[in-house]
Amino acid sequence: MQELLRVMRTIDDRIVHELNTTIPTASFVGKIDASQTCKALYQSLMEAHTSRERIIKNCIAQTSSVVKTLREEREKAQDDVALLKQLRKEQTKLKLMQSELNVEEVVNDRSWKNSNNKISHQPIDQKLQHP
């Protein structure tokens, strides 16, 4: 899962790079429709963030369910060492996924900040607005 998230997070970097290369400087403002570019990049960024958050929350829900089931089984078979190991493994996995949700928030904030810094030199109607 972490590798998948790492790959998915490169999308933010690509979008910010695209902003840096497609939003016109003052001398090229009339030659490129920055407003449409901003809207398209905004939509791409929103979709990437929503998709990653949904994936992380889905994994958290599934792992939470597994942890709950293993806890119930553990109460019935307290001497089962293998079951205890599996429970601890799943609990560790759950904590990791929950921390990924925090990482995702930081990544998203960084992407919005970078995007808005680039666009801050555009006319007000062309700026991205973070929801």
Side-chain angles (χ1 to χ4, degrees), residues 57-71:
K57 286 182 176 180
N58 187 30
C59 287
I60 288 172
Q62 289 177 359
T63 306
S64 292
S65 177
V66 170
V67 166
K68 180 182 176 188
T69 301
L70 289 172
R71 279 186 183 151

Side-chain angles (χ1 to χ4, degrees), residues 16-82:
V16 170
H17 174 73
E18 192 170 337
L19 271 171
N20 290 333
T21 59
T22 59
I23 301 298
T25 59
S27 61
F28 290 100
V29 166
K31 298 178 183 176
I32 296 174
D33 186 357
S35 178
Q36 288 296 17
T37 300
C38 286
K39 286 178 186 176
L41 294 175
Y42 170 83
Q43 187 63 34
S44 295
L45 207 50
M46 286 296 299
E47 288 171 5
H49 293 177
T50 301
S51 174
R52 288 194 310 259
E53 184 176 339
R54 185 179 58 247
I55 288 169
I56 294 168
K57 286 182 176 180
N58 187 30
C59 287
I60 288 172
Q62 289 177 359
T63 306
S64 292
S65 177
V66 170
V67 166
K68 180 182 176 188
T69 301
L70 289 172
R71 279 186 183 151
E72 290 169 356
E73 290 176 19
R74 175 77 175 132
E75 286 179 14
K76 295 174 186 171
Q78 293 184 358
D79 294 335
D80 190 339
V81 176

Side-chain angles (χ1 to χ4, degrees), residues 76-111:
K76 295 174 186 171
Q78 293 184 358
D79 294 335
D80 190 339
V81 176
L83 186 59
L84 178 61
K85 284 183 179 182
Q86 182 65 26
L87 174 59
R88 290 207 173 130
K89 179 181 172 186
E90 291 297 320
Q91 288 172 325
T92 301
K93 188 166 126 182
L94 179 59
K95 288 176 185 175
L96 180 65
M97 289 179 195
Q98 290 168 333
S99 70
E100 283 297 333
L101 207 49
N102 294 330
V103 170
E104 185 62 22
E105 184 178 333
V106 171
V107 169
N108 291 352
D109 287 346
R110 184 201 66 184
S111 295

